[in-house]
Amino acid sequence: MPIVVFACKSNSCRSQMAEGWAHKWLEDQIDILDSELKDFQDENEEIGDSSDDRWSRGVKEHVDLLKDTVVVSVALDSSSVFAEDMMSVIQSRTFHCMSRKKVKSKAVDAMKEDGVDISSYQPKTIDEIIPIIKGSDDTIPAEIVPESTSGNSSLLLLENIVLDNVEVDDFTPNKPVDKLIVLCSCGQEMKYKLARRSKSVEEWSIDAPTAASKAGEGDEAYRRVSLEIKNEVNILMRSLLGSSC
């Protein structure tokens, strides 16, 4: 089961765009292959050939692979996902009281222009995607155990978070993520938590549309960045999942 993770600091714009485009690529490829397979089967029926040759089996297997592919985006900085002050989490030791931030509306609008709906997407923390990348049906953990604070901001040390009595570190040796894509500039420590769980890591140099917009480009920056990400995602997905032939 291939697993692709797109990450940026707050998971509110670029990584969400990338997740949306990756899902769109998968859906398009499945539709194309399903159509080709149906045409092939219809032609065989017309000539009375019911054989299931190597090509059709390969297409079916590839469609199954695409359907099983996991694509998810995540925030590298867990504190940026929620609106409340992180100190309330330290004091209450739970995420339940917190208000989750939303994907930037201008990013949603830019994607919508090209027929991709990410309006239902939400920023996610690393601990929340662990069950997803592990193929588990576990619900989002009810309790997060912070280990320490640093400076003026409270930081969750995700290395020590407990998910249903299973330490996150227990997942590390298997490296479940096939490809981690980082779409922001950030310190090595911030990336390390996911990089150590990934077989391969890439960093994409993609402008932050919010900064570009404020610098004078206006809202068009979001559409430009969306299309740049689309191009990179398409290249990535083709390289990872290729062809059935």
Side-chain angles (χ1 to χ4, degrees):
M1 179 177 68
I3 298 174
V4 181
V5 177
F6 297 100
C8 61
K9 183 177 180 180
S10 63
N11 191 214
S12 64
C13 191
R14 285 170 288 181
S15 55
Q16 296 282 4
M17 288 177 165
E19 180 183 348
W21 282 121
H23 283 303
K24 180 67 164 61
W25 186 90
L26 287 168
E27 291 167 4
D28 288 348
Q29 292 303 307
I30 290 170
D31 286 345
I32 290 170
L33 292 174
D34 279 343
S35 178
E36 290 179 354
L37 186 58
K38 185 179 183 303
D39 290 343
F40 175 82
Q41 291 171 337
D42 289 346
E43 289 176 6
N44 280 0
E45 285 181 8
E46 289 180 5
I47 62 176
D49 184 358
S50 60
S51 63
D52 186 10
D53 69 0
R54 185 171 61 180
W55 180 85
S56 62
R57 288 197 302 273
V59 171
K60 290 176 183 177
E61 289 172 0
H62 196 65
V63 168
D64 288 340
L65 176 68
L66 296 175
K67 289 180 178 179
D68 287 342
T69 299
V70 174
V71 173
V72 66
S73 62
V74 68
L76 293 172
D77 178 7
S78 296
S79 67
S80 68
V81 171
F82 299 97
E84 259 68 20
D85 179 25
M86 286 298 293
M87 185 56 68
S88 65
V89 184
I90 300 298
Q91 294 169 346
S92 66
R93 305 174 76 84
T94 180
F95 278 171
H96 285 315
C97 64
M98 303 184 72
S99 174
R100 189 183 298 271
K101 293 181 181 179
K102 297 181 179 180
V103 177
K104 293 182 184 298
S105 59
K106 292 178 181 178
V108 173
D109 292 342
M111 296 287 288
K112 188 175 181 180
E113 285 188 53
D114 293 296
V116 180
D117 184 7
I118 62 170
S119 61
S120 64
Y121 289 18
Q122 294 186 21
K124 300 171 288 296
T125 62
I126 293 174
D127 56 283
E128 288 175 317
I129 74 163
I130 292 296
I132 298 174
I133 65 178
K134 291 301 294 178
S136 168
D137 292 329
D138 295 341
T139 56
I140 292 173
E143 186 167 328
I144 304 299
V145 184
E147 188 67 17
S148 69
T149 60
S150 174
N152 295 324
S153 62
S154 302
L155 301 177
L156 294 179
L157 299 185
L158 299 180
E159 307 307 323
N160 297 309
I161 286 175
V162 177
L163 302 180
D164 294 332
N165 298 320
V166 179
E167 294 286 346
V168 171
D169 263 354
D170 290 346
F171 297 142
T172 304
N174 296 328
K175 293 189 179 297
V177 177
D178 292 283
K179 181 71 73 170
L180 168 64
I181 304 296
V182 179
L183 293 99
C184 68
S185 298
C186 57
Q188 291 299 319
E189 175 60 24
M190 192 174 290
K191 291 180 285 189
Y192 176 70
K193 295 178 176 69
L194 270 178
R196 66 193 299 226
R197 296 171 172 86
S198 306
K199 297 180 181 73
S200 175
V201 181
E202 288 184 20
E203 295 186 26
W204 290 355
S205 180
I206 303 285
D207 288 343
T210 304
S213 177
K214 291 178 179 179
E217 190 175 349
D219 291 351
E220 281 301 311
Y222 288 87
R223 179 85 190 289
R224 173 179 64 79
V225 168
S226 171
L227 294 177
E228 288 179 6
I229 291 174
K230 174 187 178 181
N231 182 61
E232 294 297 328
V233 166
N234 287 350
I235 294 172
L236 169 71
M237 299 301 281
R238 283 196 298 267
S239 70
L240 283 178
L241 297 167
S243 166
S244 60
C245 299

